[in-house]
Amino acid sequence: MKLTVLGATGGIGRELVRQALDAGHTVTAVVRDPARLPVTGARLEVFRADLTDPEALLPALTGRDAVLSGLGPRGRKDAGVATRLTRTALTALEATDVRRFLLVSASPVGPAPADDGLLDRGMRSAVSAILRPVYDDLRAMEADVARSTAAWTFVRPPRLQDKPVTGVYRTVIGGFPRAGRFIGRGDVAHAMLGMIGEVGTVKQGVGVAY
């Protein structure tokens, strides 16, 4: 497949690029600073863009099979970045014939498991309160994309860890795995790549966790 990765220098973005190349795909990595992308490969195109101009982004999206986004705020001070940058990408995407769009969101944005225990409910509530600006940003991003013509999927992980890919994790379409508290960035990327061709994940939020 021909894939474009947005936010390719982030933790999940780098994993998306690396794993996609390892799987034999052709990858266009959209970055603001090419020096921050340590991944190389014969099938890799590094496309420099700051995601402020939809028209400038068109060459990186046209003719691709899917677009995967690792864009998102790194903390409270970055709140708003996911919505702002994704709007640019979405405007460009809708000017092409590409429809498959997979984006990283976060578990508190989606529904909690109905059978979650007291400890997990408490942790979820506390984290949501502390990082409310971040999750409000991701909710706004999801709302924008959900109104679009894209065949979108929101991938919603819990707390992220810097761990190598294992391929062993749980996913729940339209919900979240019970007592799912952590997942490695490598496995989030693995899950996203696996969902590209999964029709059941189109226009769904998917919870993913160990």
Side-chain angles (χ1 to χ4, degrees), residues 1-178:
M1 289 186 290
K2 294 181 179 180
L3 307 176
T4 291
V5 176
L6 307 175
T9 58
I12 294 174
R14 289 194 302 270
E15 283 292 326
L16 285 169
V17 173
R18 183 183 64 78
Q19 292 181 40
L21 290 172
D22 287 347
H25 303 305
T26 299
V27 180
T28 298
V30 178
V31 301
R32 185 169 55 185
D33 179 6
R36 293 181 57 204
L37 182 65
V39 186
T40 60
R43 297 181 310 280
L44 174 64
E45 174 194 7
V46 179
F47 187 92
R48 186 170 186 169
D50 60 5
L51 295 184
T52 59
D53 181 1
E55 187 172 350
L57 189 58
L58 284 175
L61 304 182
T62 303
R64 271 55 173 191
D65 296 296
V67 176
L68 301 98
S69 174
L71 297 170
R74 297 179 181 178
R76 289 171 58 94
K77 64 181 177 60
D78 295 325
V81 69
T83 304
R84 184 174 68 254
L85 298 184
T86 302
R87 281 176 180 164
T88 300
L90 190 58
T91 299
L93 189 70
E94 293 199 306
T96 74
D97 60 356
V98 183
R99 289 294 167 262
R100 196 69 175 106
F101 194 19
L102 298 96
L103 308 91
V104 175
S105 185
S107 60
V109 178
D115 57 350
D116 244 4
L118 183 61
L119 176 60
D120 288 293
R121 289 200 302 270
M123 290 174 59
R124 186 182 182 95
S125 178
V127 171
S128 294
I130 294 170
L131 296 177
R132 182 179 300 278
V134 169
Y135 299 134
D136 285 347
D137 180 19
L138 293 173
R139 288 187 185 94
M141 177 198 75
E142 287 196 7
D144 280 349
V145 176
R147 288 190 293 266
S148 74
T149 60
W152 51 264
T153 298
F154 303 129
V155 181
R156 297 170 175 154
R159 183 176 175 182
L160 295 169
Q161 299 176 318
D162 285 321
K163 290 188 174 182
V165 61
T166 69
V168 181
Y169 46 82
R170 297 174 291 156
T171 60
V172 176
I173 297 174
F176 191 75
R178 186 180 186 276

